[in-house]
C-alpha cells in the first residue's frame, strides 16, 4: 500500500490549510530520523514506523512505551528511532507531523506523544483542529505560525521523501517495529525485549 499526503484541506480557525502534494534501512540512519536513547551507531537500533492518528499506535504508546522507555531508552541500551507514516485521517496526521517538526528536535517527541494521547478524544467528538492548536500553543507556536508550519512546501516535500522511503522499505501498516533491520511482529514489551536482548547479546 503506497501512502501519499492528502490534498484535502484541514480547516483551522476558518482558514483552509492545504496539505499539498503527495533512505535508509531500519538500522542505518535515514534522512530526517528523530531518535532517543543511545547515539547513532549504537549496537542495537529499534525503529518504529507509526502515525499520530493510528489507534493501535496510540495504544502502544499508552501501554508499552513507558516500560520500553525505562528499560531501554533511558538506560541508553538502544537507539530508538521514530519514523513517520501518516494514516487516516491523513490530513490530520500530516499536520501533526509537520507541527512536530516545526517545534524542533527538543520538542518533537512532546508533540508526537500529545497527538497520540489525543486519539481517543477525537472519537469522543473533540475536533482534531482544536487539538492541534492546543498542542501548538503548548510548545510556543501560535495559530499563524501553525498555519505556516503545515503549509511549508519544503517541509511537505521532506515528509513525502520519508514516506517514500518507508514504502520502499515495505512498511504497509502501523505500528511496525524493526530491531537491527529485522521485523518484530510481537510489539508487546516481552516480544520486543526478546528481540532486543538477543541482539544485545550478539553485539
Amino acid at each position: 500500500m503506497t501512502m501519499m499526503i492528502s490534498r484535502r484541506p484541514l480547516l483551522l480557525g476558518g482558514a483552509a490549510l492545504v496539505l499539498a502534494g503527495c533512505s535508509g534501512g531500519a538500522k542505518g540512519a535515514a534522512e530526517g530520523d528523530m531518535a532517543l536513547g543511545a547515539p547513532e551507531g549504537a549496537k542495537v537500533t529499534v525503529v518504529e514506523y507509526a502515525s499520530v492518528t493510528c489507534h493501535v499506535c496510540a495504544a502502544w504508546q499508552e501501554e508499552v512505551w513507558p516500560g520500553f522507555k525505562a528499560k531501554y531508552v533511558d538506560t541508553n541500551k538502544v537507539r530508538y528511532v521514530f519514523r513517520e507514516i501518516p494514516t487516516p485521517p491523513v490530513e490530520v496526521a500530516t499536520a501533526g507531523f509537520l507541527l512536530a517538526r516545526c517545534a524542533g528536535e527538543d520538542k518533537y517527541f512532546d508533540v508526537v506523544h500529545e497527538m497520540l494521547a489525543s486519539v481517543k478524544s477525537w472519537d469522543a467528538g473533540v475536533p482534531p483542529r482544536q487539538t492541534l492548536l492546543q498542542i501548538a500553543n503548548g510548545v510556543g507556536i501560535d495559530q499563524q505560525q501553525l498555519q505556516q508550519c503545515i503549509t511549508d512546501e519544503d517541509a511537505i516535500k521532506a515528509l513525502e521523501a520519508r514516506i517514500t522511503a518507508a514504502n520502499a522499505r515495505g512498511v504497509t501498516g502501523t505500528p511496525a517495529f524493526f530491531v537491527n533491520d529485522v521485523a518484530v511482529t510481537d510489539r508487546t514489551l516481552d516480544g520486543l525485549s526478546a528481540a532486543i536482548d538477543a541482539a544485545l547479546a550478539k553485539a
Side-chain angles (χ1 to χ4, degrees):
M1 176 177 63
T2 300
M3 302 169 204
M4 300 296 287
I5 295 177
S6 172
R7 291 180 180 270
R8 289 171 48 202
L10 173 65
L11 298 179
L12 181 57
L17 306 180
V18 180
L19 304 175
C22 144
S23 90
K27 188 174 190 298
E31 185 70 27
D33 272 353
M34 294 303 242
L36 295 170
E40 189 174 330
K43 294 179 179 179
V44 176
T45 296
V46 178
V47 175
E48 177 187 6
Y49 289 87
S51 174
V52 291
T53 54
C54 159
H55 284 73
V56 180
C57 303
W60 188 88
Q61 175 70 30
E62 180 181 359
E63 298 165 9
V64 182
W65 169 252
F68 176 85
K69 179 175 181 288
K71 187 173 183 180
Y72 295 111
V73 179
D74 293 343
T75 57
N76 288 325
K77 288 184 178 179
V78 307
R79 178 173 176 81
Y80 166 78
V81 175
F82 183 94
R83 291 184 183 162
E84 307 154 349
I85 297 187
T87 58
V90 173
E91 66 274 16
V92 176
T94 301
F97 285 136
L98 293 172
L99 169 58
R101 294 279 170 174
C102 245
E105 289 188 23
D106 59 328
K107 297 178 181 176
Y108 174 86
F109 282 101
D110 292 338
V111 172
V112 167
H113 293 167
E114 284 295 322
M115 287 290 293
L116 286 166
S118 301
V119 169
K120 289 181 181 178
S121 72
W122 303 334
D123 293 338
V126 175
R129 62 181 180 274
Q130 179 179 320
T131 299
L132 283 165
L133 276 171
Q134 289 175 341
I135 295 174
N137 290 337
V139 293
I141 294 174
D142 62 26
Q143 181 171 330
Q144 182 178 355
Q145 291 169 323
L146 175 58
Q147 179 168 342
Q148 293 170 349
C149 285
I150 68 175
T151 56
D152 183 297
E153 289 294 332
D154 289 339
I156 290 169
K157 288 177 182 177
L159 177 56
E160 288 176 338
R162 293 191 292 274
I163 295 169
T164 298
N167 288 330
R169 185 70 180 82
V171 178
T172 58
T174 57
F177 290 89
F178 292 81
V179 174
N180 283 1
D181 279 329
V182 178
V184 178
T185 56
D186 184 349
R187 52 182 173 252
T188 64
L189 183 56
D190 286 345
L192 289 168
S193 291
I196 292 168
D197 292 346
L200 286 170
K202 290 179 183 177

